[in-house]
Amino acid sequence: MSTILAGTVLLTATGLFSQVVGFLYRMALSRLIGAENMGLFHLVMPVYSMLMSVTAVGLTVAVSTLSARYHALGDSGTVRLVLHRALRNFLLLAAPLGLAVVVLSDPISVYLLGDARTRLGVVVMVPCMLLTGVENLHKHCFYGIGRVRPPAAVETAEQIIRAVAVLLLLAALLPRSAEETVGVIALGMVLCEVFSACALTLLFKRYWKRFPPGPAGAEISGKRLMAIAVPVGATSLLGTLLGSANSVLIPAKLVEGGMTLSEAMAEFGVLSGMTLPLLNLPTGFIGALCLVMVPDLSRRTARGDRRAAGGFLDRVMSATSLLMAPAMALLTVIGPTVGAALFQDERVGELILPLAVGTLLGCYQSVLSGALNGLGLQGKGARNAIISDVVQLAFTFFAVSRFGLAGFAAGFVVSGVAGAGLNLASVLHAAELRVKAFQWFVRPVLAAVLMGVWCNLLFRVMLSAGTGHGWASLVCVVLGVVVYAAALLAQGLSVTDLFARFGGYIKRKRSAI
């Protein structure tokens, strides 16, 4: 399963399974700890993201890119050297930084995050960061050489272990305060990462026993590693700082607009821990596609075939729209009702239409960012992401205190337009392509809008007639897919031709390899 089709299928299945398990986990967690504690936990996550940006993000991109290049050139021994050097550099960065975070956890929680109840969670996130870095470096090395089964299996088990560990710890330890609750959740994440880091390390050692060490001349790989890792890590850090500032500002601006701190944290918890995870449920395909696309394009770039992105981009953009547009339309219709029933909070699904549009735009941005990474244009992807984050931060700063979360939702859409548009322009220029607006955007979005309007009417009629939420949702999903397919066919799309074209590309790729 080293081809892009097999890898994408496997990672898509894993990603969707992880999304479902993660969604069920968040649902159970929100019922167990409440919206305010969910908000506090998501307030801690920017610290974790920032630590990962400083220490691991750039190195994981470098490992994935360089391992793909060296593997394509038949130099498997150097692939192992790249991973070892990346692990050493990661630990040299992460250990002193983690110690500093532990020592400064009190001012970080009070002055940066704005809530002293996050301190224990900040401390426990340090070992979680160390373990996650080790896991991700091994995982992206596997992705780089086209071996998706080991990380896919570990990721599947990881999701289950995280959910079970966190929920069992909460039930067993019975934390008495919000700070202890956040700390226990972080502890469950640490236990999950212990499994993942150990499992991938052992799998890597077992797989690479048959390959000899790299030649002495491969020491230059260290320079190439940092040449990729440093700019990617620096831009990722800037983007994470902007995203973290946005997360911290949302509850602060809600308080400025007249809410109490408890109310603001609860609203933030519903948004970040319930509504957005509901919308992100169908996006497992996007992450899987990006994970396979980056090393695939890196291998082709190493062979001097930079224009290989052309045919692939056409299929990627079409597939993204064809899958994500109807998913967002359906969730816009049934999401508020189903979300309120699952999370037991009537605020789930508020502002779901603009948030769904922003999520769809974010899918385009992610896919196109992966294409830029695969083409060796990480700097452009990072620049575009930073511009998008700045737009979102500006809306949060100026609009949330006046308009509430509607100001955030407006920024979510505008920042998505900025990020996706800039990435699209960069990829089109690099691959020497022209945008296919009708095939990529107009046709699937029009079909999805028609399906959404029809399903909304059907859903309301069925609920008014006394049909249960579950049955009404199921009927809307099934019949909505039929309406969507009919709308696509009416606009001239042949699904058979689409899959035939994609299959033809895979066949050519397999023969090229």
Side-chain angles (χ1 to χ4, degrees), residues 206-387:
R206 179 181 178 183
Y207 179 74
W208 287 95
K209 277 183 179 179
R210 50 184 165 170
F211 293 102
E219 287 299 321
I220 193 174
S221 65
K223 296 180 181 179
R224 300 192 67 182
L225 182 80
M226 298 313 296
I228 297 174
V230 171
V232 171
T235 50
S236 174
L237 174 61
L238 180 56
T240 302
L241 285 171
L242 293 171
S244 301
N246 187 68
S247 297
V248 173
L249 272 177
I250 290 175
K253 287 296 178 179
L254 290 174
V255 170
E256 185 179 314
M259 291 186 183
T260 66
L261 179 59
S262 179
E263 291 171 341
M265 200 60 67
E267 289 289 330
F268 178 60
V270 171
L271 173 70
S272 59
M274 301 179 194
T275 303
L276 288 179
L278 179 66
L279 288 171
N280 286 324
L281 187 58
T283 60
F285 166 80
I286 301 302
L289 186 59
C290 290
L291 286 172
V292 177
M293 177 172 56
V294 172
D296 179 75
L297 292 179
S298 295
R299 283 189 288 269
R300 290 180 176 273
T301 301
R303 295 168 180 163
D305 190 10
R306 289 179 60 87
R307 297 190 63 184
F312 186 51
L313 177 64
D314 183 14
R315 291 157 180 82
V316 165
M317 293 301 296
S318 296
T320 300
S321 293
L322 288 170
L323 291 172
M324 294 299 112
M328 292 302 107
L330 278 172
L331 284 174
T332 300
V333 173
I334 68 176
T337 302
V338 174
L342 292 176
F343 289 101
Q344 295 184 340
D345 195 310
E346 294 298 326
R347 294 168 294 183
V348 178
E350 292 181 354
L351 302 169
I352 197 166
L353 178 57
L355 293 175
V357 173
T359 302
L360 177 60
L361 291 167
C363 291
Y364 291 133
Q365 183 177 350
S366 296
V367 167
L368 292 166
S369 178
L372 289 173
N373 288 338
L375 291 170
L377 301 174
Q378 295 90 348
K380 288 187 177 181
R383 178 204 62 191
N384 298 340
I386 289 171
I387 294 174

Side-chain angles (χ1 to χ4, degrees), residues 4 33 49 97 169 178 186 189 202 253 261 288 344 351 357 410:
I4 190 169
I33 67 175
S49 300
L97 183 60
L169 284 173
M189 292 177 60
L202 292 174
K253 287 296 178 179
L261 179 59
Q344 295 184 340
L351 302 169
V357 173

Side-chain angles (χ1 to χ4, degrees), residues 1-13 146 148 285 288-289 291-293 296 299-300 312 315-316 319 498-510 513:
M1 280 196 177
S2 60
T3 68
I4 190 169
L5 177 60
T8 302
V9 169
L10 179 58
L11 286 175
T12 297
V148 300
F285 166 80
L289 186 59
L291 286 172
V292 177
M293 177 172 56
D296 179 75
R299 283 189 288 269
R300 290 180 176 273
F312 186 51
R315 291 157 180 82
V316 165
L498 178 66
F499 281 103
R501 289 174 62 206
F502 190 71
Y505 172 75
I506 298 303
K507 183 177 180 180
R508 290 192 299 273
K509 176 187 182 299
R510 185 181 292 112
I513 292 177

Side-chain angles (χ1 to χ4, degrees), residues 461-484:
V461 169
M462 293 184 70
L463 291 181
S464 299
T467 307
H469 295 162
W471 284 110
S473 300
L474 180 61
V475 170
C476 281
V477 170
V478 174
L479 296 184
V481 170
V482 175
V483 171
Y484 180 65

